[in-house]
Amino acid sequence: MTDTTTVARATPEVRLYAALTGIVLLLLMLFGVLMRLAQSEWMTIGPDRFYQLMTAHGIGMVAIATLGGSAVLWHFLGQHVALRRGAAIANLAFFLAGVAVVLWSIFAGGFAGAWTFLYPLPAHPMGMWTRGAAAGYLVGVLLVGVGMLVFFLETTRAILQRYGSFAVALGWKMLRSGDKRDAPPPAVLAGTVVSIANLLAVFAGAAILTMMLINLYLPQFAISALLAKNLIYFFGHVAINATIYMAVIAVYEILPRYTGHPWGVYRAFVLAWNATLLMVLVVYPHHLLMDFAMPLWAVIMGQVVSYTSSLPVLAVTLVGTLANIHRSGIRWDLTSGLLVLSIFGWSAGIVPAVIDGTIAINQVMHNTLWVPGHFHFYLLIGCVAMILAFINWLSHEQAPARFGVLQGGLFWLYALSALGFVLMFLYSGHASVPRRFAVHLPEWQGYDRIASGFALLVLAAATLIVLPAVLRIAGGRGSGARAAGT
Amino acid sequence: MYQSLAWATSLVVMAVVAIVFLYFVASSRTRADDGAHTASARWRSGIFWGLSIAFVPLIGYSLVDMPYPLPGNASANPIVVQAVGRQWSWTLSQDHFPAGRTIEFHVTADDVNHGFGIYDDHLRLVTQTQAMPGYTNILRHTFATPGTYRVLCLEYCGLAHYAMMTQFTVEAASVAQSPEVRHD
C-alpha cells in the first residue's frame, strides 16, 4: 500500500520536466486555439500554416504528455527504486534536440505531414515542403524516441535490480501467494507496464521512421502503405496511452495524501494492469477499421480489444478513486480537485472512444471530429488534468488552504470550459464534420465558433493554473516534500 | 442512424458517470471511521467484475453489422465503380447511379493515403473506406434515397485536403432506367 505520510523531495530533473511540460502545454494549446479560430473564420490562417500548426500541435502534445507523464513516473518510481539521474538528463537532451529539429522542419521547412506522418505523404509534399524538411521531421521524432529509449531502459534496469524479475514487479508473485506484502507499489506496477510497452513502441516507431528516411532518398526502397500504417499506429497508440498510464500514478500517490486512506493494491488491481499491458499492445487495429485490406481477424480483434482494453485499468482506477474519497473528509484544493476531475475525464472520455471502436459506427464516425472529441476528452480532462495536478502539487511547500473563491473558480473554469470544448467536437462529429479540414463549410462554422469560445476559456484557465505553479517551481519554492492534506 | 445512436448513448453514459462522481464528491466531505472505509473498499472488486461482465454481450451484438466485402453481403449484380484518389481530386468511372442497386466502389489511390467518404445532400456521412496506394478496398453500398452525394477526403493528404471533393448523382430507379440517362 502507498505510504500516505512521506515522500522524498522532488529532484531538479523532475522539477525541470514539470516546469517545461507546463510551459510547452500552454504553447501547444495556443496552436489548437488558433486552428479552431481559423475554422470559425474568426482568424485568417492559410491552409499551409494551418497544417503546420496541426502537425506541431499533434506531435508536440504526444511528446509533452510523454515528458509530463515521465516526470510523474520518475518522481514516484524513484521512491522505490534507485534511478540514475543521467538517464533523465539524457532523455531531456534528446527531447530538446528532437523538438528543435522538428520545429525547424515545420516552421522553417514547411513540413506539414501531420503528426502521424502517414507513408508516403512526407515524400509527396506537392511543393509544400522540401525533402530536407521531411527528413528533419523524421530525424527529430527519432531523436525524441532515442531519449525515450534511454529513459525506459533505465526505469526497466532499476526495477529489475530492485525486484529481480518482471514477474515480481508485475505482481505475479502476489497473485500466486495472495499475500498483499508481495504486491508491488502502484508506481512500480504501472512503471513496469509502461516501460515494457513503451520500449516496444519505440522499436516499432524507430523501424518505420528509419524505413521512411531511406525511402525519402531512395524511392525505389518502397514500403507497403498498410505495413507503414500498422507500425505507425502501433507506435502512436501505445505511446499516447502510456502517457495516461504514467500520469495516473499521480492519482495513486497523491490522492491518498489528501484522504488519509492508502491506495490499496489488491488482486483485481494487479490483474487489471497485467491485462492492460497485453491489450494496449494488440488493440491498435481499431485505428484501421476502415482499411478494408486489413485481415478480418485483425479488425475484429481491434474492436473486441478496444471494448475490453478500456476496462481493466480504468475500472480499478475509477472504483479505487471513488472508494478512496468516499466519506474520507478529503481536503479539497486545486490539486485534489484536478486529480478527481482527471478520473472523471478518463472514464467519461472512454465512452465515445469505445463507441467509435465499434466497426459499424466507425464507418460513419472515423476521421470526423468525433475522433478528436473522444481523445481530447480523456487527454484534456484526463491526462492533462493529472499532469496539471502534479505540477501544482509539486509547486507547493505546504498543503494549500482549502478551495478559496479564486482557486475554486479556476478549477470550475477549467473543468466546464474543457467539457464544453470536447462536447462541441463530439457534437460536430455526430454531425459528420470531417477532421483535419483547414477550411470549414459555412454549415459547420456555428459549431466551430462555440468551440472556439470554450477553447479560449480552457487556455485562460490552464494559463492561470500553470504559470503561478511554474513560477513557484522556477523560484525554488515547492518540493512535493510534504504530506498534503494532513 | 448510427451517429444519433452514438451521440445519445455517449451523453447518457457520460451523464451517469458525472452523477456518480458528484455523489461521491458530496459524500467525501464527512469522514467516516476507518471501519466504514474498509467496508467501502470491499465492494470495489464486485463493481469491477460487474462492469467487466456487462460488456461481453455488447461486444457480440456490435459485430453483427460489418461493412467489409464478405460473401454474405455480396450482391448478385452490383454496379462496379472504379474510384481513384490523388492529390487533390477524385476520379470516378461513372457518376450517375440508380437508387436501390448495390454499388461496388473499388477504391484506391495513386499517390498517398486518402479517405473515400460519401456524404448525402444533408452533409451526413453515409459510408467510407480508406483509399490506399497499392491496395484496392471494396466498398459496397445501396443508396435508398435519390439525390446528389458528395465524396470528401477523410484522410489528411496535404495542402488542399479540405478541398478534395467530387460528387455523383443517385436517381430514382425509374428515371435511371429510362433511355435518356446513362446506364451502368
Side-chain angles (χ1 to χ4, degrees):
Chain A
M1 292 203 173
T2 305
D3 180 1
T4 63
T5 55
T6 58
V7 62
R9 182 181 174 80
T11 57
E13 64 269 19
V14 168
R15 297 157 70 87
L16 188 55
Y17 272 43
L20 193 61
T21 299
I23 297 299
V24 175
L25 262 178
L26 295 181
L27 180 68
L28 296 173
M29 280 183 176
L30 175 64
F31 288 179
V33 170
L34 294 177
M35 285 190 286
R36 291 307 263 155
L37 289 172
Q39 288 170 331
S40 304
E41 294 199 348
W42 279 349
M43 174 179 267
T44 304
I45 298 175
D48 52 348
R49 185 63 78 188
F50 179 94
Y51 287 126
Q52 289 163 15
L53 288 172
M54 185 187 82
T55 303
H57 177 81
I59 192 68
M61 280 298 186
V62 176
I64 206 62
T66 300
L67 194 76
S70 299
V72 177
L73 174 65
W74 194 262
H75 182 67
F76 290 111
L77 183 63
Q79 318 293 315
H80 306 285
V81 302
L83 294 166
R84 291 188 296 210
R85 176 174 295 177
I89 293 169
N91 177 38
L92 188 60
F94 278 112
F95 176 88
L96 291 173
V99 166
V101 178
V102 165
L103 287 176
W104 168 83
S105 76
I106 293 173
F107 293 111
F111 182 76
W115 89 266
T116 46
F117 56 91
L118 278 189
Y119 174 85
L121 181 57
H124 290 261
M126 298 287 275
M128 207 175 160
W129 59 82
T130 62
R131 185 166 61 178
Y137 179 86
L138 300 175
V139 168
V141 176
L142 205 50
L143 284 171
V144 174
V146 172
M148 288 173 65
L149 184 65
V150 172
F151 185 91
F152 291 108
L153 280 175
E154 170 59 12
T155 55
T156 304
R157 182 207 60 77
I159 288 168
L160 289 177
Q161 187 177 47
R162 167 74 175 77
Y163 290 90
S165 70
F166 283 130
V168 178
L170 288 170
W172 296 358
K173 187 177 175 190
M174 179 260 196
L175 291 178
R176 281 197 300 268
S177 69
D179 187 344
K180 289 192 174 179
R181 285 173 300 186
D182 291 333
V188 173
L189 180 57
T192 308
V193 168
V194 166
S195 298
I196 295 171
N198 259 349
L199 285 174
L200 294 172
V202 166
F203 292 143
I208 186 60
L209 285 162
T210 307
M211 287 157 71
M212 288 177 66
L213 264 171
I214 297 171
N215 170 267
L216 268 181
Y217 291 93
L218 286 172
Q220 59 271 38
F221 179 80
I223 308 166
S224 155
L226 192 58
L227 171 67
K229 264 188 186 178
N230 274 267
L231 286 167
I232 289 169
Y233 283 123
F234 173 78
F235 153 70
H237 180 88
V238 173
I240 196 63
N241 275 273
T243 66
I244 304 178
Y245 300 156
M246 291 188 283
V248 75
I249 296 170
V251 176
Y252 299 154
E253 295 281 352
I254 300 174
L255 195 60
R257 301 172 205 283
Y258 280 85
T259 62
H261 296 301
W263 189 280
V265 178
Y266 51 107
R267 193 181 287 264
F269 186 83
V270 172
L271 278 173
W273 272 98
N274 277 271
T276 291
L277 172 58
L278 179 67
M279 288 194 274
V280 77
L281 298 176
V282 297
V283 71
Y284 79 90
H286 70 187
H287 294 282
L288 301 166
L289 299 179
M290 290 302 108
D291 289 280
F292 292 7
M294 282 289 283
L296 186 61
W297 64 265
V299 287
I300 290 177
M301 179 183 75
Q303 175 182 323
V304 171
V305 182
S306 94
Y307 273 55
T308 54
S309 74
S310 53
L311 263 178
V313 160
L314 175 57
V316 293
T317 304
L318 167 64
V319 173
T321 300
L322 296 178
N324 202 269
I325 66 172
H326 182 54
R327 301 178 70 186
S328 64
I330 183 175
R331 173 188 287 270
W332 287 110
D333 68 6
L334 195 53
T335 297
S336 56
L338 284 168
L339 288 173
V340 174
L341 174 71
S342 74
I343 301 304
F344 164 73
W346 191 14
S347 312
I350 284 295
V351 177
V354 168
I355 288 173
D356 187 40
T358 310
I359 293 169
I361 292 178
N362 192 261
Q363 197 178 14
V364 290
M365 290 300 208
H366 182 61
N367 280 348
T368 68
L369 287 181
W370 188 266
V371 182
H374 69 66
F375 72 67
H376 276 87
F377 208 129
Y378 53 74
L379 292 177
L380 182 61
I381 311 181
C383 186
V384 170
M386 293 168 192
I387 291 172
L388 293 184
F390 178 70
I391 295 172
N392 191 61
W393 176 77
L394 210 61
S395 73
H396 284 286
E397 200 69 52
Q398 299 294 327
R402 290 176 187 273
F403 265 146
V405 174
L406 194 62
Q407 268 206 334
L410 201 51
F411 169 80
W412 284 110
L413 179 65
Y414 182 80
L416 295 178
S417 57
L419 189 62
F421 175 68
V422 296
L423 284 176
M424 284 315 300
F425 263 143
L426 290 173
Y427 189 79
S428 304
H430 143 269
S432 298
V433 181
R435 71 187 290 206
R436 293 174 167 160
F437 269 32
V439 179
H440 273 188
L441 296 175
E443 291 91 330
W444 301 329
Q445 285 169 0
Y447 312 142
D448 302 331
R449 288 174 180 169
I450 298 171
S452 294
F454 283 125
L456 285 164
L457 292 175
V458 174
L459 179 60
T463 304
L464 292 171
I465 292 170
V466 167
L467 282 187
V470 168
L471 287 174
R472 284 193 294 271
I473 292 172
R477 292 158 58 195
S479 65
R482 46 67 181 119
T486 59
Chain B
M1 120 187 7
Y2 282 132
Q3 284 100 330
S4 299
L5 176 69
W7 172 245
T9 308
S10 296
L11 279 187
V12 169
V13 180
M14 290 189 301
V16 169
V17 173
I19 289 167
V20 168
F21 265 82
L22 290 174
Y23 168 78
F24 275 87
V25 166
S27 79
S28 71
R29 295 180 189 282
T30 55
R31 185 175 180 86
D33 58 37
D34 282 349
H37 192 266
T38 306
S40 78
R42 279 198 288 272
W43 43 257
R44 286 179 305 200
S45 289
I47 290 183
F48 169 70
W49 291 114
L51 278 173
S52 304
I53 291 166
F55 254 24
V56 173
L58 258 180
I59 295 172
Y61 180 72
S62 64
L63 285 168
V64 171
D65 181 11
M66 290 200 291
Y68 308 119
L70 304 170
N73 62 20
S75 168
N77 187 24
I79 298 172
V80 175
V81 178
Q82 306 298 328
V84 182
R86 65 182 60 81
Q87 291 167 311
W88 291 284
S89 64
W90 293 103
T91 302
L92 301 180
S93 58
Q94 68 180 83
D95 55 11
H96 283 69
F97 314 118
R101 283 275 299 277
T102 298
I103 315 297
E104 195 170 280
F105 295 98
H106 289 213
V107 183
T108 189
D110 270 353
D111 40 36
V112 301
N113 289 282
H114 302 277
F116 184 77
I118 299 176
Y119 280 69
D120 67 15
D121 47 13
H122 301 294
L123 274 177
R124 184 72 64 171
L125 180 56
V126 175
T127 188
Q128 66 170 304
T129 188
Q130 289 274 296
M132 302 175 64
Y135 293 86
T136 299
N137 290 334
I138 296 175
L139 176 67
R140 294 184 182 133
H141 191 78
T142 303
F143 295 92
T145 312
T148 301
Y149 289 77
R150 277 186 257 195
V151 177
L152 274 61
C153 183
L154 289 183
E155 188 61 77
Y156 175 63
C157 59
L159 184 66
H161 161 64
Y162 66 91
M164 185 174 159
M165 298 183 195
T166 189
Q167 63 183 43
F168 60 80
T169 306
V170 173
E171 294 160 335
S174 57
V175 175
Q177 284 163 10
S178 69
E180 305 79 51
V181 298
R182 180 192 305 226
H183 289 273
D184 54 290

